[in-house]
Amino acid sequence: MELGRDSDTGGQVKYVVELARALGSMPGVYRVDLLTRQVSAPDVDWSYGEPTEMLTLRDSEDFLDEMGESSGAYIVRIPFGPKDKYIPKELLWPHIPEFVDGALSHIIQMSKSLGEQIGGGKPVWPVAIHGHYADAGDSAALLSGALNVPMLFTGHSLGRDKLEQLLKQGRLSRDEINSTYKIMRRIEAEELSLDSSEIVITSTRQEIEQQWRLYDGFDPILERKLRARIKRNVSCYGRFMPRMAIIPPGMEFHHIIPQDGDVDGEIEGNEDHPTPDPPIWAEIMRFFTNPRKPMILALARPDPKKNITTLVKAFGECRPLRELANLTLIMGNRDGIDEMSSTNASVLLSVLKLIDKYDLYGQVAYPKHHKQSDVPDIYRLAAKTKGVFINPAFIEPFGLTLIEAAAHGLPIVATKNGGPVDIHRVLDNGLLVDPHDQQSIADALLKLVAEKHLWAKCRQNGLKNIHLFSWPEHCKTYLSRIASCKPRHPQWQKNDDGSDTSDTDSPGDSLRDIQDLSLNLKFSLDGEKIGGSGNDNSLDSEGNATDKKSKIENDVLAWSKGVVKDTRKAVDQNSSSGKFPSLRRRKQIFVIAVDFDTITSLAEATRKIFEAVEKERTEGSIGLILSTSLAISEIRFFLASGGFSPSDFDAFICNSGSDLYYSTPNPEDGPFVVDFYYHSHIEYRWGGEGLRKTLVRWASSVTDKKADNKEGIVTAAEQLSTDYCYAFTVKMPGSVPAVKELQKVLRIQALRCRAIYCQNGTRLNVIPVCASRSQALRYLYVRWGVELANMVVFAGEMWRHRL
């Protein structure tokens, strides 16, 4: 790990790698995959380009017995974004879907491989997907939805808190902050992570009460109320809140031997065979006129939020402190200041100017290079000089360096904003300060350096309590939290649904597919929704739920028998038609996802696509999917008015991705089959009737506020709504609130969903948070093996002018 090379390679990177390594050694965990970006660039280490890297254990011999059949932990690097180029995280947002698709491919391949090894031939799905930081949270939310697997999230640092801190500093305007840090995109990713997560793991209570409370999707008071209602088995009316779990990060301590002494003492080895000093010691000591003085150590990137300049000012303006101690600043690695980012270079230049201003030459060390393996030696050197470790950051989400320093016997001075408060409460090994108060920083450092009894007491307290922050302790709590999640995984069995994608097309194969299909796909006589939300007129009139279930089963049985009778004929006519759904047999899939104001325009565009691939479509090598915001009843009208047959399409993604239908192999038995397993995939956190009532009240409030004549601006479209899509007609698109405002209203009430204005703003579809048109395509990949790389998606409107 090239820690400290820039603002994207700090303590979070080490946290995630060490967590994966530690989890991989825990009994009961078979495999841990850490997914990240593959980078093959000359300015980063060559190993970043390796597709897979095993994370070996620190002392693998000690863990072999405990691991049992564990295959360990791996870094898996997914290629996405610009090739052969390292780019900062702020520029990765447009490439997140590419990462998700690559990660999905890896997970599916791994699930099959593990199924063959340990699953008895059935796929072994991940027990959880954990996103670290906002971009990974966004990715994990999509992967969790595509796989129907529980999601966990750790923010590490949060966008809303960063925005507040930057605004307080006053150096940048809100627009400049957003332009530089893409802060609003980051915040929305964090909100989506709250929508999708089962558990949010934090390092401190402060992170929950002062940082997460800034988000629309989390309210500590409402969270406690909902939890109490769940315990009493009382309805929450469709409201959901993720659980917050405080689990401090860990570290490995077994290799650390705390030392005492001074720079002249030889604690290691013996007189006959003295152990040579680590090279980094000489690299630091060469800066000092008097290297025997206690060392004040700061280890942080030259980032404005790390507040290094205030530390240097505090040191420079306190003469007693300067006389008693030296200051060591480990500020990442650099070859030249001109090669650093503008932000980091600015901080470093400010530090150098302050050293010159206060004439601190011979008292401050600021080496240009250090390796990650040098860091323990740096702590040891500070401890040998009876020094102090300081973290003066404006806000510190956790402060892993404070744990490392304590493990080496160093007392600490730390910011009172963030994680250090919780660390200090456990270790009681130093002093907390206001990072904005320069005098407070100087006084705390002077107190610890000057009062030897206090220094010794803080050192002993830290060493006594440090075991509470070990990785094994972290992992035990972490795994117990995962075990408390309700298991979620794809609901079908691959070997039971006819998903064999071999080229064999015997009548027996076709017969097996149809028989298996009758078990897991329900047939809708009229193509409308089937469910129990109260919006279904066609089946509610047939009687109670038992009658409805019986009717569905009879429909499926009748349809299955009808197709089985004609199996031989279907196979003879077209070798592909016996398989269901037929899209599994295509070499390519064309997805028509164009959005027009009128069905006539959609029909015109569709005909042009048909004409362009008429030969391939006739041969069966190309299949088509219609992906749209339209309801299935509107698709019926589109097909009839455009002169199309349902069998012209392999599948229909409708209601903005909340419903998925297939065309039936035999049109005589009805046009559509609805995939109810897709509903089981997307129903997670769907608010149901509670959400619908809230939306109706919201629509009425928009009319009350905006309409002069009180005519409904937004009205419920009952005939277009389904169990998993609440549709509303918008009569005055210019008068309705933006999506982000509606989303905020719903999140504040703990309602998790996705709101979409479509059809040129004349309709509002509200669907499950796990649903979307792109997620429906990923579902087809997961379930039926339809490769995403073989899909061609037609989107937008302007494409037709370029044909």
Side-chain angles (χ1 to χ4, degrees):
M1 295 176 286
E2 297 178 313
L3 298 184
R5 75 182 306 276
D6 60 10
S7 60
D8 296 344
T9 50
Q12 172 196 327
V13 174
K14 184 175 182 181
Y15 174 113
V16 176
V17 173
E18 293 298 328
L19 172 61
R21 192 197 310 273
L23 283 171
S25 68
M26 293 296 291
V29 176
Y30 186 78
R31 180 181 170 109
V32 179
D33 280 2
L34 173 54
L35 307 185
T36 186
R37 181 172 179 243
Q38 185 183 43
V39 184
S40 301
D43 56 336
V44 297
D45 191 85
W46 66 271
S47 63
Y48 290 12
E50 291 294 296
T52 306
E53 177 183 344
M54 185 173 185
L55 288 170
T56 55
L57 295 170
R58 296 289 189 191
D59 288 316
S60 54
E61 307 84 22
D62 298 339
F63 288 95
L64 288 178
D65 292 337
E66 294 184 32
M67 288 174 63
E69 296 185 2
S70 170
S71 64
Y74 299 82
I75 297 176
V76 178
R77 298 183 176 92
I78 307 295
F80 73 101
K83 293 182 179 179
D84 305 328
K85 185 179 181 182
Y86 177 89
I87 61 175
K89 61 182 179 296
E90 289 82 8
L91 301 182
L92 282 176
W93 289 112
H95 308 289
I96 292 294
E98 185 183 358
F99 170 75
V100 171
D101 293 340
L104 191 60
S105 177
H106 165 77
I107 293 171
I108 290 174
Q109 291 174 11
M110 187 55 58
S111 73
K112 293 178 181 177
S113 176
L114 293 179
E116 295 170 0
Q117 295 174 27
I118 60 173
K122 294 182 179 180
V124 174
W125 300 103
V127 71
I129 296 174
H130 191 159
H132 290 269
Y133 197 76
D135 45 13
D138 193 301
S139 305
L142 293 173
L143 286 169
S144 170
L147 292 164
N148 197 28
V149 168
M151 172 185 166
L152 293 82
F153 180 63
T154 301
H156 292 281
S157 66
L158 298 179
R160 288 197 187 276
D161 183 73
K162 179 168 185 171
L163 177 59
E164 283 197 353
Q165 294 291 331
L166 290 171
L167 290 173
K168 285 179 182 177
Q169 293 173 20
R171 291 195 295 265
L172 298 172
S173 68
R174 185 178 291 268
D175 287 342
E176 289 170 333
I177 292 170
N178 192 44
S179 175
T180 303
Y181 298 103
K182 305 296 185 288
I183 203 76
M184 299 315 295
R185 177 65 180 86
R186 173 178 170 181
I187 289 170
E188 177 55 30
E190 290 161 342
E191 292 280 11
L192 178 60
S193 298
L194 284 173
D195 290 340
S196 305
S197 295
E198 297 264 7
I199 299 173
V200 175
I201 294 178
T202 72
S203 299
T204 65
R205 185 162 300 282
Q206 185 270 355
E207 188 178 339
I208 299 173
E209 296 176 350
Q210 297 185 32
Q211 297 184 54
W212 276 118
R213 70 167 183 81
L214 300 174
Y215 285 77
D216 301 332
F218 183 75
D219 180 344
I221 297 175
L222 181 55
E223 191 268 343
R224 286 192 289 270
K225 289 181 178 178
L226 291 177
R227 198 188 320 163
R229 294 182 72 91
I230 292 171
K231 285 183 177 179
R232 299 199 311 269
N233 210 20
V234 177
S235 173
C236 293
Y237 301 105
R239 288 163 171 78
F240 300 90
M241 194 78 74
R243 290 294 304 273
M244 293 280 172
I246 303 171
I247 314 177
M251 68 170 290
E252 295 291 345
F253 302 117
H254 64 272
H255 63 288
I256 298 175
I257 304 175
Q259 301 175 9
D260 203 354
D262 57 49
V263 289
D264 291 334
E266 284 297 344
I267 297 172
E268 305 162 30
N270 55 52
E271 294 182 1
D272 295 330
H273 301 284
T275 302
D277 290 343
I280 191 67
W281 287 13
E283 179 66 19
I284 292 172
M285 289 299 198
R286 69 185 178 87
F287 284 89
F288 299 134
T289 304
N290 182 359
R292 291 179 56 85
K293 293 195 293 187
M295 178 192 296
I296 296 168
L297 172 63
L299 200 157
R301 301 185 310 274
D303 188 297
K305 67 185 178 184
K306 297 300 183 181
N307 199 27
I308 298 296
T309 53
T310 302
L311 169 62
V312 178
K313 289 178 185 178
F315 183 77
E317 294 183 9
C318 182
R319 181 168 294 278
L321 184 59
R322 290 170 55 180
E323 291 175 352
L324 283 177
N326 292 322
L327 177 63
T328 296
L329 305 174
I330 307 297
M331 299 180 289
N333 289 281
R334 64 186 184 279
D335 290 322
I337 296 177
D338 291 341
E339 298 175 10
M340 301 172 67
S341 70
S342 58
T343 304
N344 290 0
S346 175
V347 172
L348 183 58
L349 287 172
S350 297
V351 168
L352 296 177
K353 288 178 181 178
L354 289 170
I355 291 172
D356 189 71
K357 175 182 178 180
Y358 297 115
D359 194 18
L360 299 178
Y361 298 105
Q363 297 174 283
V364 180
Y366 42 95
K368 295 177 66 173
H369 296 282
H370 74 282
K371 299 190 293 289
Q372 180 60 25
S373 58
D374 291 331
V375 173
D377 292 326
I378 297 171
Y379 288 125
R380 287 173 52 227
L381 177 59
K384 281 170 70 75
T385 64
K386 296 190 186 308
V388 176
F389 182 81
I390 180 168
N391 180 335
F394 288 118
I395 186 164
E396 183 60 60
F398 181 67
L400 191 58
T401 53
L402 298 174
I403 304 295
E404 294 174 339
H408 286 85
L410 274 173
I412 64 171
V413 172
T415 174
K416 67 175 185 179
N417 297 331
V421 176
D422 286 11
I423 294 174
H424 181 264
R425 185 181 298 118
V426 174
L427 297 181
D428 189 23
N429 68 330
L431 302 171
L432 299 178
V433 296
D434 181 350
H436 298 278
D437 187 342
Q438 177 182 316
Q439 189 61 48
S440 174
I441 293 173
D443 290 344
L445 289 170
L446 182 60
K447 187 176 181 67
L448 278 172
V449 171
E451 298 182 20
K452 296 304 180 183
H453 290 296
L454 177 62
W455 184 92
K457 179 183 176 182
C458 289
R459 167 188 165 84
Q460 285 305 120
N461 286 349
L463 293 174
K464 180 177 66 176
N465 299 315
I466 195 66
H467 69 279
L468 297 171
F469 291 98
S470 69
W471 274 122
E473 287 294 321
H474 178 102
C475 290
K476 287 176 186 175
T477 308
Y478 177 94
L479 293 173
S480 70
R481 292 291 185 174
I482 290 180
S484 70
C485 295
K486 181 181 178 181
R488 289 164 49 211
H489 52 81
Q491 295 297 307
W492 62 87
Q493 291 296 325
K494 282 282 188 176
N495 58 345
D496 289 337
D497 64 9
S499 63
D500 178 25
T501 54
S502 66
D503 292 331
T504 305
D505 258 325
S506 68
D509 287 336
S510 304
L511 178 63
R512 185 195 65 225
D513 282 351
I514 297 304
Q515 290 171 331
D516 291 337
L517 177 66
S518 66
L519 300 177
N520 57 39
L521 290 178
K522 303 294 189 293
F523 174 61
S524 169
L525 287 179
D526 57 3
E528 301 297 337
K529 74 180 183 68
I530 303 172
S533 70
N535 295 325
D536 180 15
N537 298 324
S538 62
L539 286 179
D540 281 350
S541 60
E542 299 291 336
N544 58 31
T546 303
D547 294 336
K548 184 188 302 184
K549 180 179 178 181
S550 176
K551 177 174 170 51
I552 292 172
E553 290 174 346
N554 290 335
D555 291 341
V556 172
L557 184 61
W559 175 79
S560 300
K561 289 179 178 178
V563 177
V564 170
K565 289 177 184 177
D566 201 33
T567 297
R568 172 76 65 173
K569 180 180 179 182
V571 174
D572 291 341
Q573 288 177 346
N574 186 328
S575 64
S576 299
S577 64
K579 288 284 188 180
F580 188 93
S582 53
L583 54 83
R584 293 182 309 167
R585 309 292 294 172
R586 311 299 190 189
K587 292 181 179 179
Q588 279 192 312
I589 299 290
F590 279 18
V591 182
I592 302 177
V594 292
D595 294 303
F596 292 108
D597 294 348
T598 65
I599 286 181
T600 302
S601 299
L602 176 60
E604 178 188 346
T606 303
R607 273 192 291 270
K608 290 186 176 182
I609 295 174
F610 274 39
E611 291 169 5
V613 294
E614 181 62 31
K615 178 183 176 183
E616 293 84 355
R617 197 168 64 86
T618 304
E619 294 173 348
S621 61
I622 287 182
L624 291 108
I625 296 175
L626 182 64
S627 177
T628 176
S629 61
L630 300 175
I632 194 68
S633 58
E634 295 172 302
I635 289 176
R636 282 174 169 278
F637 178 75
F638 156 75
L639 294 173
S641 62
F644 303 109
S645 166
S647 61
D648 289 335
F649 297 87
D650 292 334
F652 302 88
I653 299 168
C654 45
N655 296 110
S656 297
S658 62
D659 285 296
L660 175 61
Y661 291 84
Y662 307 105
S663 57
T664 58
N666 190 344
E668 295 177 2
D669 296 303
F672 307 109
V673 171
V674 59
D675 189 339
F676 279 145
Y677 278 127
Y678 180 65
H679 288 163
S680 76
H681 236 61
I682 65 173
E683 68 182 358
Y684 175 67
R685 292 211 164 154
W686 177 237
E689 186 64 13
L691 171 62
R692 189 190 69 81
K693 290 180 178 178
T694 301
L695 289 168
V696 170
R697 288 194 298 268
W698 170 81
S700 299
S701 71
V702 171
T703 298
D704 293 341
K705 292 176 183 177
K706 300 283 187 177
D708 296 332
N709 58 5
K710 298 303 178 186
E711 181 183 357
I713 295 177
V714 183
T715 55
E718 294 289 344
Q719 72 282 7
L720 300 176
S721 295
T722 68
D723 284 351
Y724 295 93
C725 175
Y726 296 137
F728 293 81
T729 301
V730 181
K731 294 184 179 178
M732 299 170 60
S735 300
V736 294
V739 162
K740 63 180 181 180
E741 293 181 30
L742 172 57
Q743 204 79 58
K744 180 176 181 177
V745 168
L746 296 172
R747 280 173 172 155
I748 286 174
Q749 299 184 59
L751 291 165
R752 313 294 176 172
C753 57
R754 193 186 298 268
I756 302 167
Y757 284 116
C758 42
Q759 298 177 31
N760 201 24
T762 61
R763 181 179 300 177
L764 170 67
N765 282 346
V766 179
I767 62 177
V769 70
C770 290
S772 71
R773 291 196 279 176
S774 59
Q775 286 290 79
L777 296 179
R778 293 188 177 107
Y779 170 88
L780 292 175
Y781 174 38
V782 174
R783 178 158 196 202
W784 301 110
V786 181
E787 290 286 348
L788 297 173
N790 295 336
M791 293 184 182
V792 178
V793 180
F794 294 84
E797 298 178 16
M798 298 306 293
W799 68 271
R800 58 182 176 151
H801 301 300
R802 298 197 296 268
L803 273 180

